[in-house]
Amino acid sequence: MNDQLPIISPNLDAPDEGAVQLFRESILAKLVYQVGARRERANAHDWFVATALAARDRVVDRWRRSNDDTWAEDRKAVCYLSMEFLIGRLMSDALGNLGLIETARQALEGLGVDFDTVVGQEADAALGNGGLGRLAACFMESMASVDVPAYGYGIRYEHGLFRQVIAGGIQHEVPEDWLALGNPWEFERSGLVYEVGFGGHVRPEVLPDGSTRMVWHAGEVVNALAYDTPVVGWRGHRINTLRLWSARATDPLHLNDFNRGDHIGAQAARMRAEAISRVLYPGDESEAGQELRLRQEYFFASASLQDIIRRHLSRHADLTDLARQVAVQLNDTHPAIGVAELMRLLMDVHGMEWDAAWTITQATFSYTNHTLMPEALETWAVPMMERLLPRHMQIIYLINAAHLDRARAGGADDMLLSNVSLIDERHGRRVRMGHLAFVGSHRINGVSALHSQLMRDTVFAELNGVCGDRITNKTNGITFRRWLHRANPELTKLLAEAIGPSVLDDPNRLERLVPLADDASFRNLFAGQRRSAKERLATLVSSRIGLKIDPDALFDVQIKRIHEYKRQLLNIIQTVALYNAMRARPTESWVPRVKIFAGKAAPSYHQAKLIIRLANDVAATINDDPVLHGLLKVAFIPNYNVSLAETIIPAADLSEQISTAGLEASGTGNMKLALNGALTIGTLDGANVEIDERVGRDNIFIFGLTAEEVAQRKRAGYDAHAAAEASPELRGALDAIASGVFSPGEPDRYRGLVEGLLNDDRYLVTADFDAYHSRQRDAEALWAQPDSWWRAAVLNTAHVGWFSSDRTIREYAAEIWDVATR
Ligand code: 26V
C-alpha cells in the first residue's frame, strides 16, 4: 500500500538540503498565514504551532490513502474503545515516524529557532490516569505501525489529568488546561455529530407492519461532536484515526429565560450537557465513579457505536456482517455499557431479532481486564441505571436471564448463579460491569501471564467456567519508537551503529547485543550514554526542586501512580533504614545513591497523599544532613507525566517494581526502564515475571513473597508486629518515622501511618522488607563492580525486544480480532 508515496527513510539519516528548504518554507507559510505572526516577533509557541501544522500537512495525504485502501480492500478495522488515551506530546511522534526530525531541526535552525525549545512548547495530552491510558496510546501507535486499520474512540476532555504541585511536601491539584493555546493536531468534524440520550422512558410501539418495537423516549439529548487526530505509524506506512467525542448541548441557550433576565439559568442545560467532556476522572484503582462518570461512559460508547454502524451501512446493505468488518475492543469495563447499547441499536433502531443481535454483539466485542483490585471493579446501582438508561437496564436483565438459564442448564446451583449473575444482590442491587463485558465478549484477556492466570483462578473463575473458557493472555507491550528512539536517541544511535539500523524495525534484533555485553569498549559507550542522560536529569531536578544530585551516583527510580499496593512505602522505609545505617556508620564505604520518586495520588486517596508527604519529609531531612556527605539524596519530582517519564527513564540505573505479588496486573514502566538498560529490583508480579524469564536471574534482583505465598499469608492471618520485632532495620526505620524524626514540627504526623501498618499490613510491606533490604545490598555490591553492572544492563536491553507493543498487537490481531498485520 501507499505505493505512490515514498517509504520513509530511517530518521537517523541526514536529510538533504532540498527537503530542509521545503520544510522551512512550509513552516514559514504556516507561521504567516495560519498563526498570523510575523517572523521577527514570533514566540516559541508560534513556532511550535507553525511546525506542527507543517508536519500535519505531510500526514494528510497519507491519511486519506490509508482510509481509501482500507475501503478498497474491504479490510476489517479495529475499534479501540477507551476512556483514556495518555498520549503526551505528539510532535516528535509524528516527525519521528515520518523520518522528519532532522529535517525539522535543520529547517528551524536555519531560521534561528531551536528545535528542542519548540518541541518543549507542546502541552502533554494527558487524557488518562496511568497504565491503562498509556497502553491505549502505545497500542494506537503500534496498530498504525503494523498496518492494522484502526480507530481509537474516546473522550476529548477539555481538562486532562490535574497538574500536581507540591507545597510544604503536600500534593495540591491544579486544573490542567492543555487546549488553552489550541491543538494543532486535531480536526473538528462539524459534520460528524450523534445524538446521545439519557433518562426518559421506554414504550412498546406498534409499527405499520403490525410488529412491535421498544421505543426509548429520552428525557435529555446531548450531541457528540467528533475531533480527529491522525496517528502516524512507523515510517509513515499507515495513518490511523483517534476520534475523540466532545459533548455539546442540543439547545445551547434558552432564549426565553435569557430575555427574562435569567442569564445563568438560560445556560444551565448547556452546562449540564457539556460537563460530560469537561474533565477526566482523576481516580485509578482506588476510586469508584459517580453519576457523571456513568454519563461519560455511555456518552462515548454510544457515539462510537453509532459511528461504527453508520460507517458499516455506508458500504453494506445491512448489519449482518458487522462482526466480519469490525472488532470492538473494550479497554477495561469503562465502555462495557456498549454491550447493551449495541443490542439496543441492532434491535430497536435497526429491527433485528434478539438472537441475531446477540450473535453479532458477542462476535464483535472483546474485553481487556486491567486490574483485579476489588475496589476498582466497576458496578453501578440499579436504581441509577434505571433512571439514566432505562432501556439498557431492560436489556441487561434480558441478557442476564438468558445467561443464567444457560448456567442453570449446565448444572449451576444457587450460590454459583448468584456469583455469576450480572446483578450483585449483596449490598443493594448493582450491575457488575465486568460480568456484562465478559458475557458480551467472545474473548476476554488479561495483560500478563500471571494476571491472566489469576483471572482464571480467582475473580473470573466461576464466570469463565459457566461461559466456556474465553480467557486468553496478551502480555502488554510498549512502543519502542517513543520509549527508545525518541526518549533516548543517543542510546538508539549507539545500538544502530553497533548491531545495524535494522534494529529500528525489528526489536528482536536487540538480541544481537548479547556478545557485546562482554565487550568492554561497548560497555563503556553504553555507560557513557547513561551518564549524559543522568546529567540531563540532574539539570532538570536542580531546576524543578533546587536539589543537586551527582550523576555518578546510582539513580534508583520509582515512577508510577502512588498506590498502597505499589508499595512506595516499602521503598521509603528502606530508604530510612539505609539512612539510619549511614548515620550509625558514617565511615563505611557507602555506594552514592539518589532515590528518585515521581507519581500522582488520586485527589481523594488520603493514604496515598500521606505517602507523598512522607517521601518529601524524608527527602528534606536526608538531603540536609551533613553527616552523609551527599552520599544519599532523595528527590520527589513533581507532576509526573509522559514527558517527564521520557527524561527520567533513560537516566535510571535501578528500576523499582515492588508491588505486592498478585496485585500489579502487568506494569509497563518496568518494560520501558529495562529496555533503556535499567536493572529491575522487583517482586514476581505482573510482567516482572516475564521480564525475569527473558533477562535471566543474574540480571535482575527478584525478592519477596510470590502471589501464592501472599494468598497463603492472608488466609493464615499475618502479624506485622512480629515481623518488625524480628528485623532491627525495619524496627529502627519505623520507630524513626513514627517518632517524628522526619516531621519534627509535628512529631505525631506519621504515628497513625506506622500503627496502621503494624495493625493491618494489607500489602505485606513488613513481610517483604528484609528480602527487599537484602536485594538492595546486592544491587550496591554489583554497582561496585562496574564491569558486571554494565554487562547486566546491556543484557537487559538485549533481551526485552519481546515487550514491543507491535508484538502485543500482532497477538491481538491473530488471536482476538482476526485481522491481518504486516
Ligand atoms: C479505575 C477508575 C475508577 C473510577 C475513576 C477513574 C478510573 C480510571 C481507571 C481505573 C482502572 C485503572 C486500571 C489500570 O490502570 N490498570 C493498569 O493497567 C496497566 C495496563 O494494562 C497495567 O500495566 C497496570 O499493571 C494496571 O495497574
Side-chain angles (χ1 to χ4, degrees):
M1 64 171 300
N2 283 341
D3 42 4
Q4 279 129 23
L5 295 165
I7 291 300
I8 310 272
S9 63
N11 65 351
L12 299 168
D13 283 1
D16 69 81
E17 198 32 57
V20 171
Q21 188 54 35
L22 269 176
F23 203 64
R24 187 176 296 144
E25 281 162 18
S26 115
I27 293 174
L28 273 176
K30 295 292 175 192
L31 185 78
V32 174
Y33 297 104
Q34 270 183 273
V35 180
R38 285 168 196 262
R39 187 176 158 183
E40 317 79 71
R41 294 207 208 129
N43 63 28
H45 193 267
D46 295 333
W47 286 113
F48 158 67
V49 176
T51 308
L53 292 172
R56 199 180 74 166
D57 277 3
R58 305 295 178 96
V59 169
V60 169
D61 289 332
R62 288 173 181 275
W63 197 6
R64 185 174 318 119
R65 270 300 294 274
S66 292
N67 286 329
D68 290 351
D69 290 353
T70 308
W71 286 112
E73 295 159 23
D74 206 26
R75 292 179 65 184
K76 187 171 183 177
V78 172
C79 298
Y80 198 83
L81 267 58
S82 180
M83 279 286 269
E84 305 193 1
F85 289 93
L86 185 42
I87 298 167
R89 291 177 176 146
L90 275 176
M91 178 73 96
S92 22
D93 231 31
L95 289 176
N97 280 1
L98 290 171
L100 288 174
I101 289 192
E102 284 313 308
T103 306
R105 185 187 300 281
Q106 291 178 27
L108 285 167
E109 237 161 51
L111 296 163
V113 178
D114 176 50
F115 176 76
D116 296 317
T117 308
V118 167
V119 170
Q121 296 303 305
E122 183 173 0
D124 267 42
L127 309 184
N129 274 290
L132 168 150
R134 183 54 235 175
L135 186 76
C138 282
F139 279 8
M140 287 306 297
E141 199 268 0
S142 274
M143 286 191 281
S145 293
V146 305
D147 197 28
V148 169
Y151 293 82
Y153 281 108
I155 297 176
R156 181 180 178 271
Y157 303 106
E158 211 173 298
H159 303 284
L161 187 60
F162 66 85
R163 195 156 58 80
Q164 178 192 55
V165 173
I166 303 290
I170 298 170
Q171 168 177 300
H172 298 268
E173 302 90 31
V174 176
E176 184 280 342
D177 206 9
W178 70 300
L179 294 172
L181 300 177
N183 173 8
W185 301 112
E186 68 183 7
F187 291 84
E188 182 182 314
R189 303 292 189 204
S190 51
L192 261 185
V193 178
Y194 297 96
E195 294 192 342
V196 178
F198 295 97
H201 58 271
V202 182
R203 264 205 310 258
E205 284 172 23
V206 182
L207 300 180
D209 68 359
S211 65
T212 53
R213 240 189 233 185
M214 299 306 271
V215 178
W216 175 26
H217 299 273
E220 178 193 358
V221 174
V222 176
N223 282 335
L225 165 63
Y227 283 76
D228 287 352
T229 301
V231 179
V232 182
W234 174 230
R235 294 195 195 284
H237 280 301
R238 158 171 283 280
I239 319 276
N240 282 328
T241 302
L242 175 62
R243 179 160 288 171
L244 301 180
W245 302 105
S246 181
R248 298 298 152 99
T250 44
D251 179 9
L253 187 70
H254 291 174
L255 208 53
N256 288 343
D257 292 344
F258 192 87
N259 290 339
R260 270 195 290 104
D262 183 5
H263 302 154
I264 306 282
Q267 298 188 65
R270 174 176 178 186
M271 289 303 146
R272 179 175 158 75
E274 298 182 359
I276 291 176
S277 54
R278 192 79 71 211
V279 49
L280 169 81
Y281 261 76
D284 55 2
E285 279 96 343
S286 61
E287 238 188 316
Q290 270 317 302
E291 178 167 332
L292 177 60
R293 173 136 179 117
L294 179 56
R295 281 165 65 84
Q296 291 184 329
E297 295 184 353
Y298 177 62
F299 167 76
F300 101 96
S302 175
S304 307
L305 289 165
Q306 291 184 61
D307 193 46
I308 289 165
I309 287 178
R310 190 254 327 145
R311 200 167 40 243
H312 186 86
L313 289 179
S314 74
R315 304 274 302 183
H316 300 85
D318 59 39
L319 291 164
T320 43
D321 258 359
L322 186 68
R324 247 193 294 276
Q325 296 300 127
V326 295
V328 180
Q329 188 70 35
L330 302 172
N331 197 25
D332 217 292
T333 55
H334 315 150
I337 189 65
V339 170
E341 173 68 353
L342 183 57
M343 287 299 285
R344 184 187 74 85
L345 292 169
L346 293 177
M347 294 189 307
D348 299 357
V349 180
H350 296 280
M352 221 176 256
E353 295 299 326
W354 177 277
D355 288 342
W358 185 244
T359 303
I360 292 173
T361 297
Q362 250 189 356
T364 303
F365 284 113
S366 39
Y367 153 54
T368 306
N369 173 278
H370 293 270
T371 175
L372 298 174
M373 303 277 293
E375 55 269 49
L377 296 177
E378 274 192 306
T379 61
W380 293 109
V382 168
M384 183 166 84
M385 289 278 289
E386 279 170 338
R387 179 163 45 79
L388 222 55
L389 299 170
R391 178 59 179 146
H392 298 78
M393 199 59 238
Q394 292 178 345
I395 293 173
I396 289 169
Y397 281 134
L398 292 169
I399 295 173
N400 199 33
H403 161 61
L404 294 180
D405 279 349
R406 267 190 308 271
R408 213 175 279 112
D413 60 14
D414 285 353
M415 178 64 143
L416 182 56
L417 289 175
S418 101
N419 289 343
V420 300
S421 171
L422 303 193
I423 312 292
D424 182 352
E425 315 257 0
R426 289 169 310 174
H427 359 258
R429 289 158 55 78
R430 303 185 69 87
V431 182
R432 294 168 164 148
M433 300 308 276
H435 284 44
L436 176 61
F438 197 111
V439 171
S441 296
H442 63 288
R443 282 284 177 280
I444 295 92
N445 76 285
V447 290
S448 72
L450 174 64
H451 167 65
S452 298
Q453 195 53 45
L454 288 171
M455 285 176 70
R456 291 187 193 101
D457 293 345
T458 64
V459 177
F460 291 104
E462 292 172 311
L463 203 48
N464 198 41
V466 164
C467 294
D469 189 11
R470 285 186 209 170
I471 297 179
T472 154
N473 177 55
K474 296 287 163 278
T475 299
N476 283 169
I478 56 174
T479 166
F480 284 23
R481 271 75 62 180
R482 183 178 287 264
W483 297 110
L484 181 62
H485 306 189
R486 303 299 131 56
N488 206 342
E490 278 184 50
L491 177 61
T492 306
K493 187 158 179 282
L494 175 63
L495 300 176
E497 283 165 4
I499 57 177
S502 63
V503 72
L504 300 176
D505 297 275
D506 179 4
N508 294 321
R509 304 242 162 117
L510 283 170
E511 291 284 350
R512 292 181 183 178
L513 283 172
V514 170
L516 292 171
D518 291 315
D519 175 335
S521 64
F522 181 77
R523 286 197 306 261
N524 279 339
L525 292 169
F526 196 94
Q529 169 284 320
R530 175 77 50 79
R531 163 81 209 200
S532 52
K534 288 166 79 174
E535 282 168 15
R536 277 194 296 279
L537 180 58
T539 306
L540 180 143
V541 167
S542 157
S543 78
R544 299 249 172 120
I545 57 173
L547 179 71
K548 296 268 167 292
I549 57 175
D550 174 8
D552 286 323
L554 191 168
F555 279 18
D556 173 348
V557 167
Q558 188 171 20
I559 46 174
K560 50 184 81 249
R561 285 298 285 247
I562 311 296
H563 204 295
E564 287 163 279
Y565 85 80
K566 294 177 188 284
R567 298 200 296 192
Q568 280 92 356
L569 189 54
L570 175 60
N571 190 349
I572 298 168
I573 295 171
Q574 199 277 326
T575 304
V576 171
L578 178 59
Y579 172 62
N580 286 345
M582 289 170 99
R583 280 181 58 94
R585 306 189 297 280
T587 55
E588 211 168 278
S589 64
W590 299 101
V591 166
R593 203 193 266 249
V594 184
K595 284 271 183 188
I596 294 167
F597 295 90
K600 293 175 181 176
S604 60
Y605 189 175
H606 299 292
Q607 194 70 3
K609 291 177 105 172
L610 191 61
I611 290 169
I612 291 179
R613 189 170 194 193
L614 176 61
N616 280 289
D617 279 347
V618 167
T621 305
I622 291 183
N623 295 341
D624 251 14
D625 192 330
V627 174
L628 303 185
H629 301 292
L631 287 174
L632 178 60
K633 294 277 179 190
V634 182
F636 188 98
I637 311 179
N639 200 35
Y640 183 57
N641 61 12
V642 171
S643 292
L644 183 56
E646 288 166 3
T647 305
I648 297 176
I649 287 169
D653 296 309
L654 191 60
S655 159
E656 300 269 354
Q657 309 299 337
I658 59 176
S659 50
T660 314
L663 296 184
E664 188 69 273
S666 162
T668 47
N670 46 2
M671 301 168 188
K672 294 163 196 168
L673 286 153
L675 176 61
N676 282 273
L679 272 57
T680 302
I681 182 165
T683 48
L684 284 175
D685 198 13
N688 296 353
V689 174
E690 290 154 88
I691 293 176
D692 172 48
E693 283 165 9
R694 285 177 171 80
V695 306
R697 241 341 126 82
D698 292 343
N699 303 307
I700 189 167
F701 304 102
I702 295 291
F703 71 92
L705 300 174
T706 61
E708 217 164 297
E709 289 164 347
V710 165
Q712 271 165 16
R713 290 283 176 112
K714 293 211 150 170
R715 274 196 303 272
Y718 172 71
D719 180 11
H721 286 282
E725 286 321 314
S727 166
E729 284 88 3
L730 174 58
R731 180 78 266 165
L734 292 178
D735 284 348
I737 294 169
S739 66
V741 169
F742 305 100
S743 53
E746 189 192 338
D748 284 340
R749 185 175 293 160
Y750 301 110
R751 188 166 298 281
L753 182 126
V754 171
E755 277 167 9
L757 186 68
L758 291 173
N759 290 329
D760 180 14
D761 184 4
R762 292 168 51 199
Y763 300 103
L764 298 174
V765 169
T766 56
D768 275 343
F769 180 84
D770 280 349
Y772 177 55
H773 194 61
S774 118
R775 286 316 256 153
Q776 289 283 12
R777 301 285 77 78
D778 295 341
E780 284 164 1
L782 196 68
W783 182 257
Q785 304 165 26
D787 284 350
S788 307
W789 182 278
W790 292 105
R791 180 174 183 280
V794 171
L795 289 175
N796 265 267
T797 302
H799 290 313
V800 297
W802 187 78
F803 294 97
S804 161
S805 44
D806 296 354
R807 184 269 315 156
T808 313
I809 288 300
R810 288 198 179 94
E811 291 182 4
Y812 275 89
E815 295 159 31
I816 298 182
W817 302 329
D818 192 26
V819 299
T821 53
R822 202 166 40 79

